[in-house]
Amino acid sequence: MPHKYLDYLRLDIEKKLGHKITNAKECELLSEEIKTSTKHIVSSQTFRRFFGIINYSGGYNKQLLNILSNFCGHENFDQYTQQLVAVQFADCFQETKNYNPKSLWEQSEMLCTKIATSSQLLVETHYKLLKYPLARQFFMEHHPMRDLLCTVYSQYFLEYLKYKDTTEAQLFAYSFLYNAAYLSENEELKDLYYQKLISLKPTPEVFVLPAARYFGIQLLHADSLGNDKLFNEIWEKMLIARLQYKTASEHSVCSFEYIILEELIFTNRVQEMQFLIENHTDQKYQDRNFIPEEIKINHQQVWKILCAIVYHKTAQTEKLELILSEIDLTKLTIGWKDYYSILYHLILFSNNQSLGTEQIKTIENLLKGKNFTYLENKFHLIKNNKLVLNN
């Protein structure tokens, strides 16, 4: 257990008492205060050790730490430390002058890892963090977590919009909120966020990725409505915008075509998907030196998975087998790993003639707790078809 957590706990106890603990008498008074406040008995001797009044090099049991955390207003020590983590990350994003982009990127990745493994931190972090501009930029805009889209994480985008409501910010947030509604099959929210999105219009200064999502979401929505006329109209507008953003795509780890294809994989528009693959714009320039090399590698793996989905839909067997052999799921980064691993394993599962018990278990584990209703239904449909064929 990090010593810093215990140091913070000591400071918070003293803050609540209104004075420092420096002698045996104050430890006796604290023992009485703890008994009155929490109904638990902790000896003054324990407090003399805890506050360093007598020498002690051992540890402290969880029950004691839970009692002390409760005294400070928290349910238990785990909740206390999670709250500390959120506060410490918030401190990193407060400085707006002379900040280090690389450091903030690393902090954002660490925070993404934390909220992915702590339901408590996931529920609380956005309230503490997103009021800071640098948190909105590095933690949200640079690290949107697809793995958590259909969880309470979707509320992060709404909290983000409380503080930033530019056209670009709204395109960013509403496109991900639409994806969350689509994947959870929430028709009411799908319509709501679609209307929010089409009420906007990308201006030339809007970054390439939210601009592409503006068209990608509209194409996906038109397809889900079965409205070919609307789909074709949007497609033609998208083709014009694509050329306008070609230079921007050359400076981005994700191209305009990449973002459109992320949406179209949920359709059967194979001709359009094939066009996006054949006319993909590769990154030529790396202007943002703070973006780690592993992020570029992550996007290369995602692009291969997107292509594999298209090759599967178009029955291009040789291309499919080749690209599947090149995909390395260990190269996927936090926030992307589970979502794209699910898509990858669904391709394998669909392509496998046998029932694939191990594959079923893998997909079930990946889907657990994600609330990806759309993908769950797709998985069960494939599984049921296999059961019929194998009986």
Side-chain angles (χ1 to χ4, degrees), residues 132-184:
Y132 302 116
L134 290 177
R136 296 195 293 273
Q137 179 184 350
F138 284 90
F139 174 57
M140 284 298 295
E141 295 168 2
H142 289 320
H143 290 86
M145 298 186 69
R146 286 156 178 78
D147 292 356
L148 301 178
L149 266 185
C150 297
T151 69
V152 69
Y153 178 76
S154 64
Q155 297 299 310
Y156 282 47
F157 294 99
L158 296 174
E159 188 72 13
Y160 165 90
L161 286 173
K162 289 181 182 179
Y163 301 98
K164 190 172 183 179
D165 62 354
T166 62
T167 297
E168 182 173 295
Q170 291 184 73
L171 289 171
F172 164 75
Y174 289 134
S175 61
F176 276 104
L177 286 166
Y178 180 91
N179 283 143
Y182 188 91
L183 290 167
S184 61

Side-chain angles (χ1 to χ4, degrees), residues 275-327:
F275 172 86
L276 294 169
I277 291 174
E278 292 171 358
N279 294 277
H280 177 247
T281 305
D282 292 324
Q283 183 184 17
K284 292 183 179 179
Y285 313 100
Q286 189 166 339
D287 304 329
R288 298 180 171 186
N289 295 326
F290 59 85
I291 299 178
E293 180 64 21
E294 56 261 31
I295 297 301
K296 185 174 182 178
I297 295 170
N298 168 75
H299 289 303
Q300 289 170 346
Q301 296 300 315
V302 169
W303 178 252
K304 289 176 182 178
I305 293 170
L306 294 173
C307 290
I309 293 170
V310 178
Y311 296 151
H312 176 68
K313 286 176 179 283
T314 53
Q316 297 182 66
T317 308
E318 288 186 9
K319 285 186 176 181
L320 175 61
E321 290 178 355
L322 177 61
I323 206 159
L324 285 175
S325 69
E326 296 174 352
I327 293 170

Side-chain angles (χ1 to χ4, degrees), residues 149-150 154 157-158 170-198 213-225 263 266-267 374:
L149 266 185
C150 297
S154 64
F157 294 99
L158 296 174
Q170 291 184 73
L171 289 171
F172 164 75
Y174 289 134
S175 61
F176 276 104
L177 286 166
Y178 180 91
N179 283 143
Y182 188 91
L183 290 167
S184 61
E185 297 193 338
N186 188 320
E187 295 299 322
E188 186 177 349
L189 288 180
K190 266 177 61 179
D191 291 340
L192 171 65
Y193 295 128
Y194 173 72
Q195 293 300 326
K196 293 279 190 183
L197 200 71
I198 63 172
R213 289 191 184 102
Y214 171 76
F215 292 100
I217 295 297
Q218 290 187 73
L219 289 168
L220 177 58
H221 194 74
D223 182 84
S224 70
L225 295 174
E263 307 300 338
F266 300 114
T267 75
Y374 174 90

Side-chain angles (χ1 to χ4, degrees), residues 237-248 256-257:
K237 292 177 182 178
M238 183 278 295
L239 291 177
I240 295 170
R242 171 183 165 267
L243 294 177
Q244 294 170 341
Y245 278 97
K246 187 170 180 61
T247 301
F256 191 94
E257 299 84 13

Side-chain angles (χ1 to χ4, degrees), residues 87-101 103-104 129 131-138:
V87 169
Q88 288 164 359
F89 276 110
D91 290 343
C92 297
F93 293 107
Q94 285 185 45
E95 178 59 56
T96 56
K97 294 180 180 178
N98 303 318
Y99 64 88
N100 184 332
S103 174
L104 291 180
L129 209 63
K131 58 186 174 184
Y132 302 116
L134 290 177
R136 296 195 293 273
Q137 179 184 350
F138 284 90

